Amino acid sequence: MNSQHLAILLGGIIPAFCFGLTGVLAKASMDKGIDIASYLFSVGVGVILYGIVALFVIAERSFNVISGLYAAGAGLIWAVGISMFTYVLVAHKASVSSIVPFHSGAVLVSVVLAFAIFAEWKAVNVPLLLIGALFMVAGGAMVAKAS
């Protein structure tokens, strides 16, 4: 397997599967009666446990205050998003299958910000990437309408 295919598998397909499972596990938690704060705490415990294991498995170490603040910001932003998601599961009795397709909009946010902040538009085929991203979002909207 070449480097590009390995990157797609490890950075795209497997994380997509993991993120897809989180929606189902969030719904299962909510159905069993967990509140949003306890859900976030429990997820945090899972992340900390995985982080501890990673400290022993991944040899590379690099940390500074700025990189740590960016990482903490990512966690806080994720917590806001997952809080909103779990809130609608509980308060509005929304189905996972009707809400999760809208998460494909994250693709556009990431693409636009990566282009603007990291100048990634220089290293990719921009028209193909944008067309693909738009199809993903359009597909998510169509799937959401099916529910």
Side-chain angles (χ1 to χ4, degrees):
M1 182 177 292
N2 70 33
S3 178
Q4 184 178 8
H5 290 128
L6 188 60
I8 290 170
L9 175 66
L10 297 177
I13 295 170
I14 293 173
F17 181 77
C18 292
F19 297 147
L21 284 176
T22 59
V24 173
L25 293 172
K27 175 73 172 181
S29 293
M30 297 298 129
D31 285 350
K32 295 298 179 186
I34 199 168
D35 61 273
I36 295 170
S38 297
Y39 174 79
L40 288 171
F41 178 80
S42 298
V43 168
V45 169
V47 171
I48 288 170
L49 291 175
Y50 186 85
I52 290 169
V53 170
L55 285 172
F56 294 102
V57 175
I58 301 171
E60 183 180 331
R61 295 283 182 278
S62 168
F63 183 85
N64 60 56
V65 173
I66 299 298
S67 66
L69 288 173
Y70 279 126
L76 288 172
I77 291 167
W78 178 87
V80 169
I82 201 67
S83 294
M84 297 295 128
F85 173 66
T86 55
Y87 168 76
V88 299
L89 291 178
V90 173
H92 298 281
K93 306 290 187 239
S95 66
V96 171
S97 60
S98 66
I99 298 299
V100 170
F102 287 102
H103 296 178
S104 64
V107 171
L108 288 180
V109 173
S110 294
V111 167
V112 169
L113 290 176
F115 280 4
I117 296 169
F118 304 118
E120 289 187 2
W121 55 271
K122 295 177 182 178
V124 299
N125 184 330
V126 174
L128 281 179
L129 193 127
L130 291 176
I131 290 168
L134 289 172
F135 275 128
M136 291 177 71
V137 173
M142 288 173 57
V143 169
K145 282 193 166 258
S147 297

